[in-house]
Amino acid sequence: MSEVPPELAELRNSIDNMDAALIHLLAERFKITQQVGVLKATEGLPPADPEREKEQIARLRRLAESSHLDPEFAEKFINFIVAEVVRHHADIAEAHQRGDAVS
């Protein structure tokens, strides 16, 4: 394999750093949404909040547009995350109903 040009290596290193930051941010986000799931289960609230999700999608589409990111991509990305969060919240609610400790 031929040697990678220094500029390409530098760009790839920047991408790798951004990927690591994204993973860390997602991990932090999911720690918070787990707390939300526990609170919802404790309060008897449903796992999903369609109105909140709709507002978030609109807000993130606006942010994407102002950041010159394809808003369709941003919407797909947030929909993927929200689906995972709702799944976690449903699991937490189910555990709560069984009387299992949730945290």
Side-chain angles (χ1 to χ4, degrees):
M1 184 174 220
S2 63
E3 188 174 314
V4 175
E7 184 180 10
L8 178 57
E10 186 177 318
L11 291 168
R12 286 179 174 171
N13 188 50
S14 293
I15 290 169
D16 292 349
N17 288 337
M18 295 295 283
D19 288 346
L22 284 169
I23 294 301
H24 290 293
L25 285 171
L26 282 171
E28 288 303 311
R29 187 186 195 286
F30 275 91
K31 285 178 188 174
I32 295 166
T33 61
Q34 287 293 107
Q35 293 172 357
V36 170
V38 170
L39 183 58
K40 282 182 171 183
T42 302
E43 297 294 323
L45 298 169
D49 184 344
E51 189 58 35
R52 163 83 172 151
E53 293 162 19
K54 183 177 160 185
E55 291 168 2
Q56 282 294 90
I57 289 168
R59 185 178 71 83
L60 292 174
R61 284 184 66 94
R62 288 190 303 274
L63 283 171
E65 288 172 2
S66 69
S67 299
H68 307 288
L69 179 68
D70 180 2
E72 292 294 319
F73 170 77
E75 184 170 344
K76 288 176 188 175
F77 182 73
I78 196 62
N79 280 331
F80 178 77
I81 291 172
V82 167
E84 189 67 10
V85 167
V86 169
R87 186 181 68 79
H88 290 178
H89 289 185
D91 290 348
I92 291 167
E94 186 178 304
H96 182 75
Q97 288 175 348
R98 287 193 312 263
D100 295 347
V102 287
S103 58

